[in-house]
């Protein structure tokens, strides 16, 4: 049986300890083969071969987390039906709405389903978030009685169950201080009751985690420490420590939410409604109901609701929200449009080329969330280390509590107190989150710039890259020829371009498109052509305004109208610059010629120089002829290997790796597939849906050569951030471990060493979102 895959949105998962508990619990379900949990994406992905998915959902909800399936019919299994009992009330501090999964998974009246499984409304519930759409905000999807998925708004964390529990615990603590002053004889009992307000839900989560295979959870350590403190007479401290623990968890949730929302905020760029053009009029429909091929009207100043192409109209479009391009881009019929960008001064009619679930922004969000689920080598090492670290600290706490009183006659209360404090230091949350928090922030920051990186392992490998091999056409160059020179032997340049354009009218050949674009740019009206034809390997012919014309290669033109030596020398000089020359002949006489070249991208030269300045070796690998490739190479200042077949490019990548270099290959992701696969990191360059992400490890979506350097820089900054995070996590724990044993600090600072370090590490990772 082939493996099935089911993805879930998880509510209330705020730290690496949460993810670890969920991972452990789900892996123990029979039939589950692989589990991927992302704190920052708030997702769980389960690969299985016929596992009981109802049991998976029960295991997760029993730990105190909300769970709702992100339904994909081709992959999803039967979701969990509702229990007969009341809403799940674990008391853990999380909001848990009862999830009616049957309504989510099955078709019901008033809905139609996209091929990817997204449920679309035939009525206008625009404020609903559907399974096909990435959820936004701190909370995961919750399903109401009507079967619709609802999501808590991003700023509403203070209304969450976790916030209410923290406030209740804080109020109980304030009441305990007041009551303790009034009835000092009952001080211990009063503070014990105040502690239980916060501890009971924490202890319940601890027991469920232990039953699910995680005995050394922070909740278990917290429970033992609090109960132990009450037993030795430190009830006031126990109540305060539980309150500080809940405050820390709340702050962790806010910090995790910021990282999560940084990428999901992209989905807010797409408008909720679109104007569908049909039957000579327009009507508003929810943007999620746009189908491929629909004709959409976009008015001036409105956001474009779908990926598509311009049918009618000319305007400028602000693509900064999606591509980062600061200058508005002119759009005319045939040009590509991206969902979420802003139309300028004129109305545009467009044809949709993607559904809302598969537009550029949705694909970016989906790819980044999936990348966040994959673990980097450093993260895997930290996970292995933490499995030994926590039991070691528990054993150390036991030794600190028992050895001095038993062997040296020290006071039991003092050393048990120190042992309990060490227990609180023992949770590895900050250490475990140090890597995924930084990687998630980096992936989100990259995605906002059009840099897609397939996970932490690729991000780490990019830091080691010291050689970059570039494809030429479409990577270092624009990928489409442009007319660079028009030379008229008689008459004007405009006349030569007018006649050449007339011959090429209607052709889709790249050189013909270049000539037609040049004529259009100069505002030249093209006359009609009669008896148009093409001569294989030579050029095109036709009759224009009674004149017999030919446009083709210099050799073919020379057969019809011999060219003098100086003309041939000029053509040879242009050929040496990598330009293709087409000679125009009229009635047996040469009128002039046009030179065309696939021009380098505007930022290519500066981007390559920046890479060289960093000590990174660059080389261009191309199948083009040597003369054209050398000309482009000279302009850009890059080593050239030309006239290569795909297997040759793959061989050269192998040779570079054999020299001890870590090689990144940048290409279009299709023609360069063997070389992309052979490189240490394959980077596809292209625009939006054209990029072949299946082949490459990463992608530069917006065709800027400088973005390759930006990707390498992002990797270096991310790894530096990870080192800082590990230093913060281990440093704080080591400091408080020493001060606790020395008797300088107690339970309060110990809990701050855990939750405080987690918040600091997450905040440090979020600095990567600011970019540079």
């Amino acid at each position: 049986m082939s493996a099935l895959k089911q993805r879930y949105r998880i509510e209330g998962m705020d730290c690496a300890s949460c993810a670890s508990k969920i991972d452990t619990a789900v892996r123990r379900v029979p039939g589950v083969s692989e589990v991927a949990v992302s704190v920052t994406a708030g997702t769980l992905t389960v690969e299985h071969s016929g596992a009981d998915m109802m049991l998976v959902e029960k295991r997760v909800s029993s730990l105190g987390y909300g769970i709702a399936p992100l339904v994909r019919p081709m992959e999803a299994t039967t979701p969990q039906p509702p229990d007969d009992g009341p809403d799940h009330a674990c008391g853990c501090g999380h909001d848990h709405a009862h999830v009616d999964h049957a309504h989510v998974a099955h078709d019901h009246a008033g809905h139609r389903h996209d091929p990817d499984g997204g449920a679309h409304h035939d009525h206008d519930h625009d404020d609903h978030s559907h399974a096909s759409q990435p959820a936004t905000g701190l909370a995961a999807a919750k399903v109401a009685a009507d079967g619709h998925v609802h999501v808590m708004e991003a700023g509403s964390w203070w209304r969450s169950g976790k916030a209410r529990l923290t406030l209740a615990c804080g109020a109980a603590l304030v009441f305990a201080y007041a009551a303790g002053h009034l009835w000092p004889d009952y001080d211990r009992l009063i503070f014990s009751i105040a502690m239980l307000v916060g501890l009971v839900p924490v202890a319940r989560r601890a027991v469920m985690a232990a039953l699910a295979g995680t005995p050394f959870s922070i909740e278990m350590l917290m429970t033992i420490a609090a109960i132990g403190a009450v037993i030795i007479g430190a009830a006031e401290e126990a109540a305060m420590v539980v309150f500080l623990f809940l405050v820390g968890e709340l702050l962790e949730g806010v910090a995790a939410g910021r990282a999560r929302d940084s990428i999901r905020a992209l989905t807010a760029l797409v408008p909720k409604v679109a104007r569908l053009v049909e039957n000579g009029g327009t009507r508003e429909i929810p943007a999620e109901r746009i189908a491929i091929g629909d004709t959409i009207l976009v008015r001036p100043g409105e956001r474009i609701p779908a990926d598509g192409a311009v049918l009618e109209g000319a305007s400028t479009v602000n693509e900064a929200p999606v591509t980062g391009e600061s200058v508005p881009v002119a759009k005319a019929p045939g040009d590509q449009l991206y969902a979420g960008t802003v139309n300028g001064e004129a109305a545009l009619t467009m044809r949709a080329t993607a559904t809302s679930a598969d537009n550029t922004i949705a694909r970016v969000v989906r790819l980044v969330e999936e990348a966040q689920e994959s673990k980097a080598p450093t993260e895997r090492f930290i996970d292995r280390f933490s499995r030994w670290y926590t039991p070691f600290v528990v054993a150390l706490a036991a030794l600190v509590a028992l050895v001095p009183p038993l062997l040296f006659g020290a006071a039991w209360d003092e050393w048990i107190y120190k042992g309990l404090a060490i227990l609180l230091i023992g949770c590895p949350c900050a250490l475990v989150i140090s890597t995924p928090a930084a990687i998630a922030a980096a992936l989100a920051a990259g995605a906002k710039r059009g840099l897609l990186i397939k996970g932490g392992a690729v991000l780490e490998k990019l830091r080691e890259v010291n050689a970059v091999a570039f494809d030429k056409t479409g990577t270092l160059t624009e990928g489409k020829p442009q007319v660079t020179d028009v030379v008229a032997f008689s008459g004007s340049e405009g006349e030569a371009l007018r006649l050449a354009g007339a011959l090429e009218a209607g052709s889709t050949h790249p050189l013909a498109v270049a000539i037609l674009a040049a004529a259009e740019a100069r505002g030249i009206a093209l006359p009609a052509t009669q008896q148009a034809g093409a001569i294989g390997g030579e050029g095109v012919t036709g009759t224009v305004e009674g004149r017999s014309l030919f446009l083709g290669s210099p050799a073919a033109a020379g057969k019809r109208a011999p060219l003098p030596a100086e003309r041939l020398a000029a053509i040879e000089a242009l050929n040496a610059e990598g330009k293709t020359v087409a000679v125009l002949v009229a009635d047996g006489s040469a009128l002039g010629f046009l030179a065309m070249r696939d021009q380098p991208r505007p930022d290519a030269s500066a981007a390559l120089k920046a890479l060289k300045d960093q000590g990174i070796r660059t080389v261009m690998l191309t199948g083009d002829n040597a003369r054209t490739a050398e000309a482009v190479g000279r302009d850009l200042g890059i080593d050239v290997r030309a006239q290569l077949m795909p297997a040759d490019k793959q061989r050269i990548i192998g040779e570079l790796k054999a020299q001890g270099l870590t090689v990144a290959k940048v290409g279009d992701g299709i023609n360069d597939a063997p070389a992309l696969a052979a490189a240490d990191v394959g980077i596809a360059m292209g625009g939006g849906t054209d990029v072949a992400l299946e082949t490459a490890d990463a992608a530069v979506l917006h065709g800027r050569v400088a973005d390759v350097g930006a990707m390498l820089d992002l990797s270096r900054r991310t790894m530096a951030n990870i080192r800082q995070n590990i230093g913060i996590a281990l440093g704080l724990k080591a400091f408080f471990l020493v001060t606790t044993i020395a008797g300088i600090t107690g339970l309060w600072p110990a809990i701050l060493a855990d939750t405080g370090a987690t918040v600091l590490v997450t905040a440090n990772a979020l600095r990567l979102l600011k970019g540079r």
Side-chain angles (χ1 to χ4, degrees):
M1 184 177 186
S2 60
L4 302 172
K5 182 181 289 188
Q6 174 68 52
R7 295 188 81 218
Y8 294 93
R9 185 74 67 197
I10 305 297
E11 174 190 351
M13 177 173 61
D14 299 330
C15 71
S17 175
C18 302
S20 177
K21 283 182 288 187
I22 292 171
D23 186 292
T24 302
V26 174
R27 284 184 188 276
R28 290 160 68 100
V29 174
V32 171
S33 56
E34 188 57 53
V35 177
V37 187
S38 171
V39 175
T40 44
T43 58
L44 161 68
T45 300
V46 182
E47 289 188 21
H48 64 99
S49 52
D52 184 352
M53 302 312 288
M54 292 190 295
L55 181 57
V56 167
E57 295 179 24
K58 284 183 178 179
R59 288 278 174 90
V60 174
S61 61
S62 71
L63 294 173
Y65 304 102
I67 178 170
L70 297 176
V71 182
R72 287 185 177 274
M74 294 303 292
E75 300 171 341
T77 56
T78 305
Q80 178 181 352
D83 294 333
D84 295 330
D87 289 355
H88 177 64
C90 69
C92 66
H94 304 303
D95 269 342
H96 295 296
H98 187 72
V99 179
D100 186 348
H101 298 301
H103 279 79
V104 179
H106 297 101
D107 197 2
H108 53 284
H111 289 66
R112 64 184 174 88
H113 288 260
D114 266 357
D116 72 345
H120 293 287
H121 296 262
D122 287 333
H123 43 77
D124 293 332
H125 285 241
D126 293 340
D127 58 334
H128 294 171
S129 176
H130 308 285
S132 68
Q133 300 297 321
T136 57
L138 293 178
K142 299 192 290 185
V143 184
D146 63 353
H148 300 141
V149 182
H150 296 270
V151 178
M152 192 184 304
E153 292 183 7
S156 59
W157 58 267
W158 59 85
R159 293 183 295 184
S160 67
K162 184 176 288 189
R164 290 195 295 269
L165 179 63
T166 304
L167 289 173
C169 187
L173 190 60
V174 171
F175 173 79
Y177 275 113
H181 280 88
L182 294 175
W183 302 288
D185 292 343
Y186 297 98
D187 185 278
R188 184 172 179 178
L189 175 62
I190 292 169
F191 277 104
S192 296
I193 293 172
M195 177 202 69
L196 288 174
V197 171
L199 186 65
V200 168
V202 173
R204 186 185 184 285
R205 284 156 54 193
V207 172
M208 297 308 296
L211 293 175
T214 309
F216 295 115
S217 64
I218 181 58
E219 290 85 359
M220 183 64 78
L221 303 183
M222 181 75 242
T223 302
I224 294 170
I227 293 172
V230 170
I231 291 172
I232 64 174
E236 179 183 344
E237 279 197 81
M240 178 58 77
V241 164
V242 170
F243 174 65
L244 290 175
F245 172 75
L246 293 175
V247 170
E249 276 205 325
L250 187 61
L251 291 175
E252 285 177 12
V254 174
R258 278 196 61 196
R260 196 170 297 149
D261 292 343
S262 64
I263 181 61
R264 292 191 201 156
L266 287 172
T267 60
L269 295 173
V270 181
K272 298 250 182 216
V273 296
R275 290 183 176 82
L276 180 67
V277 179
E278 61 179 6
N279 301 324
T282 63
R283 66 182 179 93
E284 288 192 355
I285 62 168
E288 64 185 14
R289 290 182 55 198
I290 293 173
I292 294 174
D294 280 354
T295 301
I296 306 295
L297 174 66
V298 186
R299 292 176 178 169
E302 291 183 341
R303 288 192 182 274
I304 291 166
D307 284 1
V310 178
L311 289 178
E312 297 177 11
S315 182
T316 57
V317 173
N318 179 7
E319 296 187 342
V322 176
T323 68
E325 182 62 54
S326 58
V327 179
V329 180
K331 299 291 183 180
D335 289 341
Q336 177 73 33
L337 297 172
Y338 298 110
T341 55
V342 183
N343 186 22
E345 67 281 355
L348 291 174
T349 303
M350 62 175 286
R351 185 180 70 83
T353 57
T355 63
S356 63
D358 201 38
N359 63 37
T360 300
I361 289 178
R363 289 175 64 246
V364 167
V365 172
R366 187 162 59 244
L367 286 164
V368 171
E369 287 190 345
E370 290 171 358
Q372 288 172 346
E373 292 174 0
S374 68
K375 292 189 175 183
T378 301
E379 184 178 355
R380 289 195 293 268
F381 170 76
I382 293 293
D383 282 348
R384 291 195 299 270
F385 174 79
S386 67
R387 292 193 188 102
W388 293 96
Y389 166 82
T390 304
F392 167 76
V393 174
V394 171
L396 179 63
L399 290 175
V400 168
L402 298 174
V403 171
L406 287 175
L407 297 184
F408 306 109
W412 279 99
D413 285 2
E414 177 188 352
W415 287 94
I416 288 177
Y417 180 87
K418 291 180 179 179
L420 294 176
I422 291 172
L423 269 187
L424 297 181
I425 296 170
C427 181
C429 276
L431 181 63
V432 174
I433 201 69
S434 61
T435 300
I439 286 174
L443 293 175
K448 287 181 177 180
R449 285 197 58 180
L451 311 178
L452 284 189
I453 302 169
K454 285 187 171 180
V458 177
L459 193 61
E460 283 198 26
K461 180 60 71 173
L462 281 166
R463 180 194 57 163
E464 304 170 9
V465 167
N466 49 21
V468 182
F470 291 90
D471 181 37
K472 181 183 79 70
T473 305
T475 300
L476 291 175
T477 66
E478 297 282 3
K480 50 187 178 184
Q482 298 175 12
V483 174
T484 58
D485 303 87
V486 179
V487 177
F489 302 156
S490 62
S492 66
E493 293 181 1
E495 178 66 8
L497 188 56
R498 186 177 78 93
L499 295 175
L503 283 176
E504 297 287 17
S507 174
T508 58
H509 188 281
L511 297 181
V513 171
I515 292 171
L516 292 170
E520 183 181 356
R522 297 193 188 192
I524 296 173
L526 303 180
T529 302
Q530 286 81 39
Q531 299 176 331
I535 302 173
E538 293 192 0
V540 293
T541 62
T543 301
V544 177
E545 297 173 343
R547 305 170 74 182
S548 177
L549 301 181
F550 170 83
L551 181 69
S553 66
K559 297 176 184 176
R560 293 163 175 82
L563 298 172
E566 63 271 17
R567 303 295 190 202
L568 291 173
I571 291 172
E572 184 62 30
L574 291 171
N575 287 154
E577 295 175 15
K579 298 178 180 179
T580 300
V581 176
V583 178
L584 179 65
V585 177
D587 297 326
S589 176
L591 294 185
F593 60 76
L594 295 81
M596 290 152 283
R597 189 172 82 160
D598 182 9
Q599 294 287 75
R601 292 183 183 272
D603 70 331
S605 181
L608 292 173
K609 184 179 184 303
L611 289 174
K612 288 183 181 178
D613 291 345
Q614 297 173 40
I616 296 173
R617 179 176 171 183
T618 59
V619 61
M620 182 172 77
L621 307 181
T622 179
D624 244 350
N625 68 78
R627 184 167 58 183
T628 299
E630 290 289 351
V632 174
R634 281 195 303 273
D635 287 350
L636 298 179
I638 185 174
D639 294 337
V640 174
R641 303 286 292 274
Q643 293 177 277
L644 303 174
M645 297 297 288
D648 297 323
K649 297 180 183 181
Q650 184 180 24
R651 173 180 53 78
I652 292 169
I653 294 294
E655 291 172 357
L656 292 171
K657 291 171 69 174
Q659 297 172 25
L661 297 171
T662 301
V663 183
K665 174 67 174 72
V666 186
D668 62 12
I670 300 171
N671 298 330
D672 292 311
L676 285 168
D680 294 292
V681 180
I683 302 174
M685 180 175 282
T689 55
D690 295 330
V691 66
L693 289 168
E694 295 77 11
T695 304
D697 302 304
V700 173
L701 290 186
H702 305 307
R704 294 183 288 251
V705 182
D707 281 351
V708 175
M711 194 178 280
L712 301 182
D713 177 66
L714 178 63
S715 172
R716 287 190 288 269
R717 288 192 291 119
T718 303
M719 298 312 298
N721 190 282
I722 288 172
R723 290 192 294 271
Q724 294 164 7
N725 287 345
I726 293 172
I728 291 170
L730 290 179
L732 276 175
K733 290 185 181 295
F735 174 79
F736 283 108
L737 185 63
V738 172
T739 56
T740 298
I741 293 175
I744 300 170
T745 57
L747 289 175
W748 294 14
I751 195 64
L752 292 176
D754 172 55
T755 56
T758 302
V759 171
L760 282 176
V761 161
T762 306
N764 186 52
L766 289 176
R767 292 191 305 114
L768 291 166
L769 289 175
K770 297 178 181 178
R772 188 165 68 188

